[in-house]
Amino acid sequence: MTDTYPAFDMGPVPLPALDAEPAELFRGIYGMPMFVNAPTRDMAASVEFWTHGLGFFEFFAAPGRVTHLRRWAFQDVLLVPADAPSAVPTSPPAMTVTFSCVLSQVDQIAAACEGLVPGSTTGPRQTPWNTVDLEVVTPENVRVIMTAARPYDPAGAAAQSLRDELGIEGPSA
């Protein structure tokens, strides 16, 4: 892993810091390099949860066909009507979709989601890869992870774990 380089200027995710400011909601047009399709039986309830719980906004809607939601650049979700009852899983799948946020947003998102759908969140929890993750299950049973990077401390336990367990030498102070 010697050919890596810091590339934070390529995307909206800020450098990890306790006081990191979230990226602005992105309202520009681009070819979406990745997006999530989420079939829903109740478009209004889904839009409400994603916008008021997870912090997305309605970028575009074609009523009865699709609602395009977005947060930061490259965080796009298309809510589409379920074409059959089986199109919406009855329980969350093992696979997840993960969206970046900043540390100050994790508790806010958890509270907002719990206010809309009690029991919809798990966590937050600290991970061995130096993030704080909140698991959210949406009304469509999409398993969403909202992840915020913790500041990197080259002398800290997480850095030592990366070195010892994975052979990754992080940046120095």
Side-chain angles (χ1 to χ4, degrees), residues 76-135:
D76 293 277
V77 174
L78 303 181
L79 295 174
V80 296
D83 55 3
S86 62
V88 177
T90 55
S91 62
M95 191 174 96
T96 63
V97 60
T98 302
F99 296 103
S100 290
C101 62
V102 296
L103 290 169
S104 65
Q105 293 179 303
V106 174
D107 289 337
Q108 296 168 356
I109 292 169
C113 291
E114 283 294 321
L116 292 165
V117 178
S120 63
T121 67
T122 303
R125 66 181 180 88
Q126 290 191 7
T127 68
W129 44 90
N130 211 36
T131 65
V132 173
D133 287 3
L134 173 69
E135 180 180 319

Side-chain angles (χ1 to χ4, degrees), residues 26-44:
F26 188 79
R27 299 178 188 281
I29 303 285
Y30 54 77
M32 297 185 305
M34 183 272 180
F35 58 92
V36 174
N37 271 324
T40 178
R41 289 190 199 106
D42 185 342
M43 185 69 74

Side-chain angles (χ1 to χ4, degrees), residues 6 152-155 159 163 168-173:
Y152 181 78
D153 174 5
R163 284 191 293 274
I168 296 173
E169 190 64 46
S172 58

